[in-house]
Amino acid sequence: GTLDLSLPALTKINLIFENDEFQNCCYDLNGDINCDEILDISDIILMIDIILDLIDYTVDQNYCADMNNDGITDISDLILLIDTILDL
C-alpha cells in the first residue's frame, strides 16, 4: 500500500470584533492581536493564521502583528512575539 501524506484543506476564519474596539487595543502592547491585554498563545496562534493567510484580518490586526515594524507580518515577527512572551 501507499502512505497518504496529503494535508487537509485549510479553511479561512473570519474574526469579528464588536463595537470596532480593536482599533487602538495594541498600541500599548505590541503583539496583542486579540486585544485581551495579555501576550500569550492566543496571539501566537492568530499571528500564525495571519502569516499563513488563514483568516480575514484587519489593517489594525496586521499592525499589531508587525512586531518589528517593517510593514510585513512574517516569521521574524512570530519569533519576536515568542521571545517577548518568554521574556528573552
Side-chain angles (χ1 to χ4, degrees), residues 1-2 10 13 25 27 29 40-42 46 49 52 56 59 62 66 73 79 82 84 86-87:
T2 60
L10 300 174
I13 300 167
C25 76
Y27 296 127
L29 188 58
D40 59 12
I41 188 68
S42 323
L46 281 172
D49 289 347
L52 296 176
D56 293 325
V59 171
N62 197 42
D66 184 14
T73 301
I79 292 167
I82 293 169
T84 302
L86 296 176
D87 198 27

Side-chain angles (χ1 to χ4, degrees), residues 31-51:
D32 185 18
I33 303 167
N34 65 354
C35 303
D36 64 357
E37 299 180 7
I38 301 167
L39 294 180
D40 59 12
I41 188 68
S42 323
D43 298 299
I44 292 172
I45 292 168
L46 281 172
M47 186 178 288
I48 292 169
D49 289 347
I50 288 171
I51 292 168

Side-chain angles (χ1 to χ4, degrees), residues 48-64:
I48 292 169
D49 289 347
I50 288 171
I51 292 168
L52 296 176
D53 198 26
L54 297 179
I55 60 173
D56 293 325
Y57 52 89
T58 66
V59 171
D60 290 321
Q61 285 174 303
N62 197 42
Y63 173 84
C64 293

